[in-house]
Amino acid sequence: MSLIKTDNLPEHDDFYAELLATHKGLSEAESHALNARLILILANHIGERDVLSEAVALAREVD
Amino acid sequence: MSYDYQPFEYVAPPGLTAKEPQHKVIIVGAGPVGLAMAIELANHGVASVVLDDNNVVSVGSRAICWSKRSLEIFDRLGIGDKALAKGVTWKIGRTFHRDHEVFNFDLLPEEGHKMPAFVNLQQYYVEQYLVDRALEIDLIDLRFLNKVTAVEQAEDSAHVRIETPDGEYSLAADYLVACDGARSPVRSMLGLEFEGELFEEHFLIADIRTQGNFASERWFWFEPNFHPGQSALLHKQPDNIYRIDLQLGWETDPDEEKKPENVIPRIEKVLGHSDFELDWVSVYTFQCRRLRDFVHGRIAFAGDSAHVVSPFGARGGNSGLQDVDNLGWKLAAIVNRGASAGLLDSYNRERTHGADENLKNSSRTTRFMTPADGIERTFRDQVLKLAGKVPFARGWVNSGRLSAPCVYPSAAPDNIRLPAATRPGSVALDAPQGNGWLLQSLGGAPRLLAINCAAPDLGIDVVELAETPMVRARYLGDAPQALYLIRPDQVVSARWIETDKQAVQAAIDAMWEGRA
């Protein structure tokens, strides 16, 4: 399987709002830590080594 | 100004010389919502008195984006074709980041609807068309320069005190509908408060006249090169007028920003030239707030008096018209034949639900456009960055989720084999029918809509809809036939593939009692 780059999350506005809400009131360091935990949790859920490498490369490339 | 503001005639009201008999309905405010309310009630046979403290239409273009649903409502009120002919029809929105287009949307990708996704038309034209229409209707008593100065209510009536150029008088009615805008005096006089968020942001709004050649599309910029770090919107209106919205930041002084010597250089940067005239300028702040309840005894609130949102989803004026659509037939049934007061509860329940959806969407847009410093801005900026490269992120860019009617929560009979888009609680979807349109034949009365089947005889007019591929997609799915009960506001009340007379009668009873 390769990384999905087209729209794949229904109700993404809901998720985006939830993401911001969960960061509310956190310090910068706490936000970084939360993001790190979230990435690790999602990586485990995705469970596909190739997909994760593609995602890492894409995130890097866009910057 | 290019629009020719003509004052409407003030006539000394009869109440100044002798006490008027109790009216059916008093409507406070002759803006788009109040006027639409009066015409909708008249369509249902209910007389009303409309009171307005002013005697001209809206100064400045204000609400300009009228949604497909609003146009369908206008059609029933008798001004749909006029609004469509004068308005600028559009359905494509483009979103830019700096000078790159990152995302565009088509709001009405399918054929087979009488009305387009949106037309842009200045509020003053909408008000003028509605006033012209209202003046033709005997059931509407339109009173300009009649300012409400006090409101109170008894168990079975609402009472107002009114100031006119010729002195004061009092009026009473069975019900009062407050359509008196965001700063609603009626709301203040009843001591009711809005609840919700106020966003600390200033926006400059300017209408300019130019012979430019911009497409009939909505163009939105995040951090454009011509206005660094902020956002901007450009929208075409009739008469070569363009709406420009510019985010200014909270630290700016609205009175300074409104001065032509400060506005003109900003507009020059947007257009890249100075060949334009300023038509109207204003500075506004965002609020996303509503009344907890839209009905208080004999007084109902509709439009901005009940709820206010940020403007970037065109959810202000359009939601006000949806309030009218929902309240009109219910109030008429109560006034005309003493129908269940449960109908007013259902107005409150359904339209607070609609308001919450509008508030949610417009708050999210506002948050995306004006992120708080820190992680919120980081996420926003990275969505924009990804959107330039990766398709999925384009849909996450939020420059406004444009007004579409909500689906009211419903526990009415349904069959999930039928298409989700027309489930109970949804506005019926238009479709070509004969030489006309389905929504026109549904009109403003309850209907049984029968497709490939016979409808029971229950004293409700039947609309038979011939099967076409469009009708199949919108109303049948894979079912061989279907029967829909449609409310007077063209909302699907209940639907069946197969049914019997008793079940349909039970659904009709539930509709008239305002049960969900």
Side-chain angles (χ1 to χ4, degrees), chain A:
Chain A
M1 176 137 184
S2 59
L3 182 71
I4 300 168
K5 293 181 192 165
T6 51
D7 198 2
N8 188 44
L9 181 64
E11 312 290 338
H12 50 70
D13 281 356
D14 276 343
F15 173 69
Y16 191 79
E18 188 179 339
L19 195 55
L20 296 192
T22 198
H23 279 280
K24 203 167 178 141
L26 299 188
S27 68
E28 200 183 331
E30 287 166 335
S31 273
H32 275 307
L34 186 138
N35 281 338
R37 291 194 297 276
L38 194 55
I39 291 165
L40 295 170
I41 292 164
L42 293 174
N44 178 62
H45 180 84
I46 291 162
E48 296 198 39
R49 195 59 195 78
D50 295 351
V51 170
L52 293 171
S53 288
E54 247 191 286
V56 168
L58 176 62
R60 191 72 200 223
E61 175 197 317
V62 168
D63 194 31

Short mmCIF file of all heavy atoms in Angstrom, two decimals, chain A:
data_model
loop_
_atom_site.label_atom_id
_atom_site.label_comp_id
_atom_site.label_asym_id
_atom_site.label_seq_id
_atom_site.Cartn_x
_atom_site.Cartn_y
_atom_site.Cartn_z
N MET A 1 0.85 -1.20 0.00
CA MET A 1 0.00 0.00 0.00
C MET A 1 0.88 1.24 0.00
O MET A 1 1.93 1.29 0.61
CB MET A 1 -0.85 -0.05 1.27
CG MET A 1 -1.72 1.17 1.46
SD MET A 1 -3.37 0.75 1.98
CE MET A 1 -4.11 2.36 1.98
N SER A 2 0.40 2.27 -0.73
CA SER A 2 1.18 3.52 -0.70
C SER A 2 0.37 4.60 0.01
O SER A 2 -0.83 4.45 0.24
CB SER A 2 1.56 3.94 -2.11
OG SER A 2 0.38 4.11 -2.86
N LEU A 3 1.04 5.67 0.33
CA LEU A 3 0.44 6.76 1.10
C LEU A 3 -0.72 7.40 0.34
O LEU A 3 -0.59 7.76 -0.82
CB LEU A 3 1.52 7.82 1.37
CG LEU A 3 1.08 9.02 2.20
CD1 LEU A 3 0.85 8.62 3.66
CD2 LEU A 3 2.14 10.12 2.10
N ILE A 4 -1.85 7.55 1.01
CA ILE A 4 -3.02 8.21 0.40
C ILE A 4 -2.83 9.71 0.47
O ILE A 4 -2.67 10.27 1.55
CB ILE A 4 -4.32 7.80 1.13
CG1 ILE A 4 -4.52 6.30 1.04
CG2 ILE A 4 -5.52 8.55 0.55
CD1 ILE A 4 -5.61 5.77 1.98
N LYS A 5 -2.88 10.35 -0.68
CA LYS A 5 -2.67 11.81 -0.70
C LYS A 5 -3.94 12.57 -1.06
O LYS A 5 -3.96 13.80 -1.03
CB LYS A 5 -1.57 12.16 -1.69
CG LYS A 5 -0.20 11.65 -1.26
CD LYS A 5 0.86 12.05 -2.25
CE LYS A 5 2.14 11.30 -1.98
NZ LYS A 5 3.06 11.39 -3.12
N THR A 6 -4.96 11.82 -1.44
CA THR A 6 -6.24 12.50 -1.73
C THR A 6 -7.11 12.47 -0.48
O THR A 6 -6.80 11.78 0.50
CB THR A 6 -6.96 11.78 -2.87
OG1 THR A 6 -6.99 10.38 -2.55
CG2 THR A 6 -6.24 11.95 -4.20
N ASP A 7 -8.22 13.18 -0.55
CA ASP A 7 -9.12 13.30 0.59
C ASP A 7 -9.54 11.92 1.10
O ASP A 7 -10.10 11.12 0.35
CB ASP A 7 -10.35 14.09 0.10
CG ASP A 7 -11.14 14.65 1.26
OD1 ASP A 7 -10.72 14.47 2.40
OD2 ASP A 7 -12.18 15.27 1.00
N ASN A 8 -9.28 11.63 2.35
CA ASN A 8 -9.59 10.29 2.88
C ASN A 8 -10.26 10.35 4.25
O ASN A 8 -10.58 9.31 4.82
CB ASN A 8 -8.28 9.49 2.97
CG ASN A 8 -8.53 8.03 3.33
OD1 ASN A 8 -9.43 7.41 2.79
ND2 ASN A 8 -7.76 7.50 4.27
N LEU A 9 -10.46 11.55 4.77
CA LEU A 9 -11.04 11.67 6.12
C LEU A 9 -12.35 12.45 6.05
O LEU A 9 -12.35 13.66 5.84
CB LEU A 9 -10.04 12.40 7.04
CG LEU A 9 -10.50 12.59 8.50
CD1 LEU A 9 -10.67 11.25 9.20
CD2 LEU A 9 -9.51 13.48 9.24
N PRO A 10 -13.48 11.73 6.21
CA PRO A 10 -14.75 12.46 6.23
C PRO A 10 -14.79 13.39 7.46
O PRO A 10 -14.14 13.09 8.47
CB PRO A 10 -15.82 11.37 6.35
CG PRO A 10 -15.11 10.06 6.32
CD PRO A 10 -13.65 10.30 6.51
N GLU A 11 -15.51 14.45 7.37
CA GLU A 11 -15.65 15.40 8.50
C GLU A 11 -14.28 15.88 8.99
O GLU A 11 -14.05 15.96 10.19
CB GLU A 11 -16.39 14.73 9.68
CG GLU A 11 -17.68 14.01 9.32
CD GLU A 11 -18.81 14.95 8.91
OE1 GLU A 11 -18.76 16.13 9.30
OE2 GLU A 11 -19.71 14.51 8.19
N HIS A 12 -13.41 16.23 8.05
CA HIS A 12 -12.07 16.66 8.51
C HIS A 12 -12.11 17.96 9.29
O HIS A 12 -11.26 18.21 10.12
CB HIS A 12 -11.09 16.72 7.34
CG HIS A 12 -11.58 17.50 6.17
ND1 HIS A 12 -11.74 18.85 6.18
CD2 HIS A 12 -11.96 17.09 4.94
CE1 HIS A 12 -12.20 19.24 5.02
NE2 HIS A 12 -12.35 18.19 4.24
N ASP A 13 -13.16 18.81 9.03
CA ASP A 13 -13.28 20.04 9.83
C ASP A 13 -13.50 19.71 11.32
O ASP A 13 -13.00 20.41 12.20
CB ASP A 13 -14.45 20.90 9.34
CG ASP A 13 -14.10 21.70 8.09
OD1 ASP A 13 -12.94 21.64 7.64
OD2 ASP A 13 -15.01 22.38 7.57
N ASP A 14 -14.26 18.65 11.57
CA ASP A 14 -14.48 18.21 12.96
C ASP A 14 -13.17 17.79 13.60
O ASP A 14 -12.88 18.13 14.74
CB ASP A 14 -15.41 16.98 13.01
CG ASP A 14 -16.88 17.37 12.96
OD1 ASP A 14 -17.18 18.55 13.20
OD2 ASP A 14 -17.70 16.49 12.67
N PHE A 15 -12.38 17.03 12.84
CA PHE A 15 -11.11 16.56 13.39
C PHE A 15 -10.18 17.73 13.66
O PHE A 15 -9.52 17.81 14.70
CB PHE A 15 -10.44 15.55 12.46
CG PHE A 15 -9.05 15.19 12.93
CD1 PHE A 15 -8.88 14.44 14.09
CD2 PHE A 15 -7.93 15.63 12.24
CE1 PHE A 15 -7.60 14.14 14.56
CE2 PHE A 15 -6.65 15.34 12.71
CZ PHE A 15 -6.49 14.60 13.87
N TYR A 16 -10.14 18.68 12.72
CA TYR A 16 -9.26 19.83 12.88
C TYR A 16 -9.63 20.62 14.15
O TYR A 16 -8.76 21.03 14.92
CB TYR A 16 -9.34 20.72 11.64
CG TYR A 16 -8.30 21.80 11.58
CD1 TYR A 16 -6.99 21.52 11.17
CD2 TYR A 16 -8.60 23.11 11.93
CE1 TYR A 16 -6.03 22.51 11.12
CE2 TYR A 16 -7.64 24.11 11.88
CZ TYR A 16 -6.36 23.81 11.47
OH TYR A 16 -5.40 24.79 11.43
N ALA A 17 -10.93 20.77 14.36
CA ALA A 17 -11.40 21.49 15.55
C ALA A 17 -11.02 20.72 16.82
O ALA A 17 -10.62 21.31 17.83
CB ALA A 17 -12.92 21.68 15.48
N GLU A 18 -11.13 19.40 16.76
CA GLU A 18 -10.78 18.58 17.92
C GLU A 18 -9.28 18.69 18.23
O GLU A 18 -8.86 18.77 19.39
CB GLU A 18 -11.16 17.11 17.63
CG GLU A 18 -11.03 16.20 18.82
CD GLU A 18 -11.45 14.77 18.52
OE1 GLU A 18 -12.19 14.54 17.54
OE2 GLU A 18 -11.00 13.88 19.25
N LEU A 19 -8.50 18.71 17.16
CA LEU A 19 -7.05 18.82 17.30
C LEU A 19 -6.68 20.14 18.00
O LEU A 19 -5.88 20.16 18.94
CB LEU A 19 -6.44 18.76 15.89
CG LEU A 19 -4.96 18.52 15.73
CD1 LEU A 19 -4.53 17.24 16.44
CD2 LEU A 19 -4.62 18.42 14.24
N LEU A 20 -7.29 21.25 17.53
CA LEU A 20 -6.99 22.54 18.16
C LEU A 20 -7.47 22.56 19.61
O LEU A 20 -6.78 23.06 20.49
CB LEU A 20 -7.63 23.69 17.38
CG LEU A 20 -7.17 23.94 15.95
CD1 LEU A 20 -7.71 25.28 15.46
CD2 LEU A 20 -5.65 23.92 15.81
N ALA A 21 -8.64 21.97 19.82
CA ALA A 21 -9.21 22.00 21.18
C ALA A 21 -8.31 21.24 22.15
O ALA A 21 -8.14 21.65 23.30
CB ALA A 21 -10.62 21.41 21.16
N THR A 22 -7.72 20.15 21.68
CA THR A 22 -6.91 19.35 22.61
C THR A 22 -5.61 20.05 22.97
O THR A 22 -5.00 19.76 24.01
CB THR A 22 -6.69 17.92 22.04
OG1 THR A 22 -6.29 17.09 23.11
CG2 THR A 22 -5.63 17.87 20.98
N HIS A 23 -5.19 20.99 22.13
CA HIS A 23 -3.98 21.76 22.44
C HIS A 23 -4.25 22.97 23.32
O HIS A 23 -3.32 23.62 23.79
CB HIS A 23 -3.32 22.24 21.14
CG HIS A 23 -2.48 21.20 20.47
ND1 HIS A 23 -1.21 20.89 20.87
CD2 HIS A 23 -2.75 20.37 19.44
CE1 HIS A 23 -0.71 19.93 20.09
NE2 HIS A 23 -1.64 19.59 19.21
N LYS A 24 -5.53 23.28 23.49
CA LYS A 24 -5.90 24.52 24.19
C LYS A 24 -5.31 24.55 25.60
O LYS A 24 -5.43 23.58 26.34
CB LYS A 24 -7.41 24.66 24.23
CG LYS A 24 -7.82 26.09 24.39
CD LYS A 24 -9.29 26.32 24.15
CE LYS A 24 -9.55 27.79 24.40
NZ LYS A 24 -10.44 28.43 23.52
N GLY A 25 -4.66 25.64 25.95
CA GLY A 25 -4.12 25.82 27.28
C GLY A 25 -2.76 25.17 27.51
O GLY A 25 -2.20 25.26 28.60
N LEU A 26 -2.21 24.50 26.50
CA LEU A 26 -0.90 23.86 26.68
C LEU A 26 0.23 24.84 26.36
O LEU A 26 0.08 25.72 25.52
CB LEU A 26 -0.77 22.64 25.76
CG LEU A 26 -1.76 21.49 25.93
CD1 LEU A 26 -1.35 20.31 25.06
CD2 LEU A 26 -1.86 21.07 27.40
N SER A 27 1.36 24.67 27.03
CA SER A 27 2.55 25.46 26.70
C SER A 27 3.13 24.92 25.40
O SER A 27 2.72 23.86 24.93
CB SER A 27 3.59 25.34 27.81
OG SER A 27 4.09 24.01 27.82
N GLU A 28 4.09 25.66 24.84
CA GLU A 28 4.70 25.23 23.58
C GLU A 28 5.32 23.84 23.74
O GLU A 28 5.14 22.96 22.90
CB GLU A 28 5.74 26.25 23.14
CG GLU A 28 6.06 26.16 21.67
CD GLU A 28 7.15 27.14 21.25
OE1 GLU A 28 7.27 28.21 21.87
OE2 GLU A 28 7.86 26.81 20.28
N ALA A 29 6.02 23.64 24.86
CA ALA A 29 6.69 22.34 25.08
C ALA A 29 5.66 21.22 25.23
O ALA A 29 5.84 20.13 24.69
CB ALA A 29 7.57 22.43 26.33
N GLU A 30 4.57 21.53 25.93
CA GLU A 30 3.53 20.52 26.11
C GLU A 30 2.87 20.17 24.77
O GLU A 30 2.53 19.01 24.51
CB GLU A 30 2.47 21.03 27.10
CG GLU A 30 2.95 21.04 28.54
CD GLU A 30 2.04 21.84 29.48
OE1 GLU A 30 1.33 22.75 29.00
OE2 GLU A 30 2.07 21.56 30.69
N SER A 31 2.68 21.19 23.92
CA SER A 31 2.12 20.94 22.60
C SER A 31 3.03 20.07 21.75
O SER A 31 2.57 19.16 21.06
CB SER A 31 1.86 22.27 21.86
OG SER A 31 0.59 22.76 22.21
N HIS A 32 4.31 20.36 21.80
CA HIS A 32 5.28 19.52 21.07
C HIS A 32 5.19 18.07 21.54
O HIS A 32 5.19 17.14 20.74
CB HIS A 32 6.71 20.02 21.29
CG HIS A 32 7.10 21.12 20.37
ND1 HIS A 32 6.97 21.02 19.00
CD2 HIS A 32 7.62 22.35 20.62
CE1 HIS A 32 7.39 22.15 18.45
NE2 HIS A 32 7.78 22.97 19.41
N ALA A 33 5.12 17.92 22.84
CA ALA A 33 5.08 16.56 23.41
C ALA A 33 3.79 15.85 23.00
O ALA A 33 3.81 14.67 22.64
CB ALA A 33 5.19 16.65 24.94
N LEU A 34 2.70 16.60 23.02
CA LEU A 34 1.43 15.98 22.62
C LEU A 34 1.47 15.57 21.16
O LEU A 34 1.05 14.46 20.79
CB LEU A 34 0.28 16.97 22.86
CG LEU A 34 -1.10 16.38 22.62
CD1 LEU A 34 -2.06 16.84 23.72
CD2 LEU A 34 -1.69 16.75 21.28
N ASN A 35 2.01 16.44 20.30
CA ASN A 35 2.13 16.09 18.89
C ASN A 35 2.98 14.84 18.69
O ASN A 35 2.67 13.98 17.87
CB ASN A 35 2.72 17.26 18.10
CG ASN A 35 1.68 18.33 17.81
OD1 ASN A 35 0.48 18.04 17.82
ND2 ASN A 35 2.11 19.55 17.55
N ALA A 36 4.06 14.75 19.47
CA ALA A 36 4.95 13.58 19.35
C ALA A 36 4.20 12.30 19.72
O ALA A 36 4.25 11.30 19.00
CB ALA A 36 6.17 13.76 20.25
N ARG A 37 3.46 12.35 20.82
CA ARG A 37 2.69 11.17 21.24
C ARG A 37 1.67 10.79 20.18
O ARG A 37 1.50 9.63 19.83
CB ARG A 37 1.96 11.44 22.56
CG ARG A 37 2.87 11.55 23.77
CD ARG A 37 2.09 11.47 25.08
NE ARG A 37 1.14 12.56 25.27
CZ ARG A 37 1.45 13.76 25.77
NH1 ARG A 37 2.71 14.06 26.09
NH2 ARG A 37 0.54 14.69 25.92
N LEU A 38 1.01 11.84 19.63
CA LEU A 38 -0.01 11.61 18.62
C LEU A 38 0.58 10.93 17.38
O LEU A 38 0.00 9.98 16.83
CB LEU A 38 -0.64 12.96 18.25
CG LEU A 38 -1.94 12.98 17.49
CD1 LEU A 38 -3.02 12.18 18.20
CD2 LEU A 38 -2.41 14.44 17.34
N ILE A 39 1.75 11.38 16.94
CA ILE A 39 2.39 10.78 15.77
C ILE A 39 2.71 9.31 16.05
O ILE A 39 2.48 8.44 15.20
CB ILE A 39 3.69 11.55 15.40
CG1 ILE A 39 3.32 12.94 14.87
CG2 ILE A 39 4.50 10.78 14.36
CD1 ILE A 39 4.48 13.91 14.81
N LEU A 40 3.22 9.05 17.24
CA LEU A 40 3.59 7.66 17.57
C LEU A 40 2.35 6.77 17.61
O LEU A 40 2.35 5.64 17.09
CB LEU A 40 4.32 7.62 18.91
CG LEU A 40 5.67 8.36 18.90
CD1 LEU A 40 6.22 8.49 20.32
CD2 LEU A 40 6.69 7.68 17.99
N ILE A 41 1.27 7.28 18.18
CA ILE A 41 0.03 6.50 18.26
C ILE A 41 -0.51 6.21 16.86
O ILE A 41 -0.88 5.08 16.53
CB ILE A 41 -1.04 7.28 19.08
CG1 ILE A 41 -0.62 7.36 20.56
CG2 ILE A 41 -2.42 6.64 18.95
CD1 ILE A 41 -1.39 8.40 21.37
N LEU A 42 -0.52 7.26 16.01
CA LEU A 42 -1.05 7.09 14.66
C LEU A 42 -0.16 6.16 13.83
O LEU A 42 -0.65 5.35 13.05
CB LEU A 42 -1.19 8.46 13.96
CG LEU A 42 -2.26 9.37 14.58
CD1 LEU A 42 -2.21 10.76 13.92
CD2 LEU A 42 -3.66 8.78 14.44
N ALA A 43 1.18 6.26 14.03
CA ALA A 43 2.12 5.40 13.29
C ALA A 43 1.85 3.94 13.62
O ALA A 43 1.79 3.08 12.73
CB ALA A 43 3.55 5.77 13.64
N ASN A 44 1.64 3.68 14.89
CA ASN A 44 1.35 2.30 15.29
C ASN A 44 0.05 1.82 14.68
O ASN A 44 -0.06 0.69 14.21
CB ASN A 44 1.28 2.21 16.82
CG ASN A 44 0.94 0.80 17.26
OD1 ASN A 44 1.70 -0.14 17.01
ND2 ASN A 44 -0.22 0.63 17.88
N HIS A 45 -0.94 2.71 14.64
CA HIS A 45 -2.23 2.33 14.08
C HIS A 45 -2.11 2.05 12.58
O HIS A 45 -2.68 1.09 12.07
CB HIS A 45 -3.27 3.42 14.31
CG HIS A 45 -4.61 3.09 13.74
ND1 HIS A 45 -5.52 2.32 14.42
CD2 HIS A 45 -5.17 3.36 12.53
CE1 HIS A 45 -6.59 2.15 13.67
NE2 HIS A 45 -6.40 2.77 12.51
N ILE A 46 -1.36 2.90 11.88
CA ILE A 46 -1.19 2.71 10.42
C ILE A 46 -0.47 1.38 10.17
O ILE A 46 -0.87 0.60 9.30
CB ILE A 46 -0.43 3.91 9.81
CG1 ILE A 46 -1.32 5.14 9.87
CG2 ILE A 46 0.01 3.61 8.39
CD1 ILE A 46 -0.59 6.45 9.71
N GLY A 47 0.58 1.13 10.92
CA GLY A 47 1.21 -0.18 10.92
C GLY A 47 1.84 -0.63 9.62
O GLY A 47 2.08 -1.81 9.42
N GLU A 48 2.09 0.30 8.73
CA GLU A 48 2.73 -0.07 7.46
C GLU A 48 4.01 0.75 7.30
O GLU A 48 3.95 1.96 7.11
CB GLU A 48 1.77 0.18 6.29
CG GLU A 48 0.55 -0.73 6.39
CD GLU A 48 -0.19 -0.85 5.08
OE1 GLU A 48 0.49 -0.92 4.02
OE2 GLU A 48 -1.43 -0.84 5.11
N ARG A 49 5.11 0.05 7.36
CA ARG A 49 6.42 0.67 7.40
C ARG A 49 6.66 1.58 6.19
O ARG A 49 7.15 2.70 6.31
CB ARG A 49 7.45 -0.47 7.48
CG ARG A 49 8.83 -0.09 7.87
CD ARG A 49 8.86 0.58 9.24
NE ARG A 49 10.14 1.24 9.38
CZ ARG A 49 10.45 2.40 8.82
NH1 ARG A 49 9.55 3.04 8.10
NH2 ARG A 49 11.64 2.94 8.99
N ASP A 50 6.27 1.10 4.98
CA ASP A 50 6.52 1.86 3.75
C ASP A 50 5.71 3.17 3.73
O ASP A 50 6.20 4.21 3.31
CB ASP A 50 6.10 1.04 2.51
CG ASP A 50 6.96 -0.19 2.36
OD1 ASP A 50 7.97 -0.30 3.11
OD2 ASP A 50 6.63 -1.04 1.52
N VAL A 51 4.45 3.05 4.17
CA VAL A 51 3.57 4.22 4.19
C VAL A 51 4.16 5.29 5.10
O VAL A 51 4.18 6.49 4.76
CB VAL A 51 2.15 3.81 4.67
CG1 VAL A 51 1.29 5.04 4.92
CG2 VAL A 51 1.49 2.90 3.65
N LEU A 52 4.66 4.87 6.25
CA LEU A 52 5.22 5.82 7.20
C LEU A 52 6.45 6.52 6.62
O LEU A 52 6.61 7.73 6.76
CB LEU A 52 5.56 5.12 8.51
CG LEU A 52 4.33 4.62 9.28
CD1 LEU A 52 4.75 3.75 10.46
CD2 LEU A 52 3.47 5.79 9.77
N SER A 53 7.28 5.77 5.93
CA SER A 53 8.47 6.39 5.33
C SER A 53 8.08 7.40 4.27
O SER A 53 8.67 8.48 4.15
CB SER A 53 9.37 5.32 4.70
OG SER A 53 10.00 4.60 5.73
N GLU A 54 7.05 7.05 3.51
CA GLU A 54 6.57 7.98 2.49
C GLU A 54 6.04 9.26 3.14
O GLU A 54 6.26 10.37 2.64
CB GLU A 54 5.43 7.33 1.70
CG GLU A 54 5.76 7.04 0.25
CD GLU A 54 4.51 6.65 -0.51
OE1 GLU A 54 4.02 5.52 -0.31
OE2 GLU A 54 3.99 7.49 -1.26
N ALA A 55 5.30 9.08 4.24
CA ALA A 55 4.73 10.24 4.95
C ALA A 55 5.84 11.13 5.50
O ALA A 55 5.78 12.36 5.39
CB ALA A 55 3.81 9.76 6.07
N VAL A 56 6.85 10.50 6.08
CA VAL A 56 7.98 11.26 6.63
C VAL A 56 8.65 12.06 5.52
O VAL A 56 8.93 13.26 5.65
CB VAL A 56 8.99 10.31 7.32
CG1 VAL A 56 10.29 11.04 7.64
CG2 VAL A 56 8.37 9.71 8.58
N ALA A 57 8.87 11.39 4.40
CA ALA A 57 9.55 12.06 3.28
C ALA A 57 8.71 13.22 2.74
O ALA A 57 9.23 14.30 2.45
CB ALA A 57 9.82 11.05 2.17
N LEU A 58 7.39 13.01 2.66
CA LEU A 58 6.50 14.07 2.15
C LEU A 58 6.51 15.28 3.08
O LEU A 58 6.62 16.42 2.63
CB LEU A 58 5.08 13.52 1.99
CG LEU A 58 4.01 14.52 1.55
CD1 LEU A 58 4.34 15.10 0.17
CD2 LEU A 58 2.64 13.88 1.52
N ALA A 59 6.41 15.01 4.38
CA ALA A 59 6.40 16.10 5.35
C ALA A 59 7.68 16.91 5.24
O ALA A 59 7.68 18.14 5.33
CB ALA A 59 6.23 15.55 6.76
N ARG A 60 8.76 16.24 5.00
CA ARG A 60 10.07 16.89 4.89
C ARG A 60 10.18 17.69 3.59
O ARG A 60 10.67 18.82 3.58
CB ARG A 60 11.13 15.77 4.92
CG ARG A 60 12.54 16.22 5.08
CD ARG A 60 12.73 16.71 6.49
NE ARG A 60 13.89 17.57 6.54
CZ ARG A 60 14.80 17.54 7.49
NH1 ARG A 60 14.66 16.69 8.50
NH2 ARG A 60 15.81 18.35 7.47
N GLU A 61 9.68 17.07 2.56
CA GLU A 61 9.80 17.65 1.22
C GLU A 61 8.99 18.95 1.08
O GLU A 61 9.42 19.89 0.42
CB GLU A 61 9.28 16.59 0.23
CG GLU A 61 9.21 16.99 -1.22
CD GLU A 61 8.31 16.02 -1.98
OE1 GLU A 61 8.43 14.79 -1.75
OE2 GLU A 61 7.48 16.48 -2.79
N VAL A 62 7.82 18.99 1.71
CA VAL A 62 6.94 20.15 1.58
C VAL A 62 7.53 21.38 2.26
O VAL A 62 7.27 22.50 1.86
CB VAL A 62 5.52 19.81 2.13
CG1 VAL A 62 4.68 21.06 2.29
CG2 VAL A 62 4.84 18.83 1.20
N ASP A 63 8.33 21.15 3.28
CA ASP A 63 8.85 22.28 4.06
C ASP A 63 9.73 23.20 3.20
O ASP A 63 10.60 22.74 2.49
CB ASP A 63 9.66 21.75 5.24
CG ASP A 63 9.89 22.86 6.24
OD1 ASP A 63 9.01 23.75 6.34
OD2 ASP A 63 10.94 22.86 6.90
#
